[in-house]
Amino acid sequence: MFAKVIQRPTDWAFWLIAVICLLPMINSPMALMFGLVLATAGWVPHGVSISALAKKLLGWSIIGLGFGIHLEQAIQVSAASIGLVLTTIFGTLFIGTMIGRWLKVEKKTGHLIAAGTAICGGSAIAAVAPAINAKDNQTSVALATIFVLNSIALFIFPVIGHWFELSQTQFGLWAAIAIHDTSSVVGAAGAYGDEALMTATTVKLARALWIIPVAMISSMMFKAKGAGMKIPTFILFYVAAMLFAWAVPAGEVIYQAIFQVSKQVMVLCLFLIGAGITLKKLKEAGKQPLIQGVMLWVIISSTSLAYILS
């Protein structure tokens, strides 16, 4: 196993930086940038699947965050934002489909980009793709497009939030609606503050539950016979962790420790995600799908921000 992980001298540097990303002084944008630099330099290890490792750690870190979120607050935040969540999910799917048709983006690729923007980025694409029998290249292009926009969001959203003097709750809500992947939502919200992180995580994962009906609707739209769905199980375990912390309040000190460790593991996840972004993947995204993704992202970001400010 060790021989697979360390095959070249540069692999030592990669894993050393990965460990450094677990230190409190390293934040999400820094970790993502480290990953991008190493990917560009070709210093990413070949003996292990970095994307699979990132996905696994992401699931565990989100479950850990569940221990630090109070059930009463989660219910309150979810109930207050349910109208906005539903409107933005189905509004994004509709507008994304129209933009994709206008730009003549391949139909299934355009739908995957719209679904990823509407719900939770890569997780939504991974769930909807088998439901519509999407090909590997269609899924890859959609993932690459969302990948690029996620990376940008991690840097610019906190800056915009401070520019508009958004409160912690306002920023958390905006991040959960307008940033695609859960990892980037948590990264941006965590950089803004703990209350923003709580709001963003709660709303984003409540939003992620809509993967199931959207995948079903997508299957019917494309009349995909024999198609399946891959629903992320970490969502259920996240809810279970939150319920356990509520039912056994005596472990509050332990729960907060798990919460803090999970936040830093999320930073490591962003390093690993950054290490998976290469020039090849950016080129594979192509111009038209990227334009669709950007247009849809600008629309959902600006309209949701305007609503929150009002």
Side-chain angles (χ1 to χ4, degrees):
M1 179 64 185
F2 185 77
K4 290 183 178 180
V5 174
I6 306 293
Q7 294 183 350
R8 303 173 300 169
T10 54
D11 293 351
W12 288 100
F14 180 89
W15 294 116
L16 176 60
I17 295 173
V19 172
I20 291 173
C21 287
L22 291 171
L23 300 177
M25 70 280 294
I26 306 298
N27 58 31
S28 299
M30 291 169 62
L32 185 70
M33 186 57 67
F34 290 158
L36 286 166
V37 170
L38 292 182
T40 303
W43 284 20
V44 179
H46 300 307
V48 61
S49 175
I50 299 300
S51 60
L53 179 59
K55 186 177 180 180
K56 187 173 290 186
L57 285 176
L58 174 63
W60 282 109
S61 59
I62 288 174
I63 293 168
L65 292 176
F67 284 101
I69 295 177
H70 298 290
L71 182 62
E72 293 83 357
Q73 288 178 296
I75 293 173
Q76 184 179 1
V77 170
S78 299
S81 60
I82 186 65
L84 184 59
V85 167
L86 288 176
T87 301
T88 52
I89 285 176
F90 291 101
T92 301
L93 285 169
F94 175 75
I95 295 171
T97 299
M98 294 298 103
I99 293 175
R101 288 180 181 175
W102 177 57
L103 292 171
K104 294 181 172 58
V105 176
E106 193 281 322
K107 192 174 181 181
K108 289 186 178 179
T109 302
H111 184 75
L112 290 175
I113 292 172
T117 306
I119 309 175
C120 55
S123 296
I125 291 172
V128 173
I132 63 173
N133 287 328
K135 296 178 181 177
D136 287 346
N137 66 310
Q138 295 167 333
T139 305
S140 296
V141 169
L143 285 170
T145 301
I146 296 299
F147 227 35
V148 172
L149 300 181
N150 266 321
S151 305
I152 296 171
L154 193 61
F155 289 96
I156 67 171
F157 265 61
V159 175
I160 296 173
H162 287 300
W163 176 270
F164 283 101
E165 298 181 343
L166 296 180
S167 68
Q168 293 277 314
T169 302
Q170 285 178 319
F171 183 83
L173 180 58
W174 183 46
I177 290 170
I179 301 179
H180 311 81
D181 267 342
T182 305
S183 57
S184 292
V185 170
V186 172
Y192 207 80
D194 283 348
E195 189 179 338
L197 176 62
M198 186 279 291
T199 301
T201 305
T202 302
V203 175
K204 190 64 177 180
L205 292 177
R207 190 182 185 89
L209 294 173
W210 286 89
I211 286 177
I212 301 170
V214 167
M216 289 179 176
I217 293 170
S218 299
S219 180
M220 289 186 286
M221 284 174 57
F222 287 87
K223 298 178 181 177
K225 295 181 180 179
M229 288 181 290
K230 189 178 179 182
I231 309 303
T233 55
F234 67 79
I235 299 173
L236 301 177
F237 284 109
Y238 163 82
V239 175
M242 191 164 48
L243 289 171
F244 184 85
W246 170 76
V248 189
E252 181 64 23
V253 175
I254 298 175
Y255 303 149
Q256 286 304 314
I258 294 174
F259 180 77
Q260 293 302 324
V261 170
S262 298
K263 279 175 59 179
Q264 208 57 41
V265 172
M266 184 66 74
V267 175
L268 171 60
C269 290
L270 286 162
F271 165 73
L272 296 173
I273 288 170
I277 301 175
T278 62
L279 289 175
K280 182 182 177 182
K281 284 188 177 181
L282 297 181
K283 289 178 181 178
E284 284 175 353
K287 190 169 80 170
Q288 297 303 92
L290 191 58
I291 292 173
Q292 178 196 8
V294 170
M295 289 180 65
L296 188 55
W297 188 42
V298 169
I299 291 170
I300 188 64
S301 298
S302 57
T303 53
S304 59
L305 178 60
Y307 177 83
I308 290 168
L309 286 172
S310 66

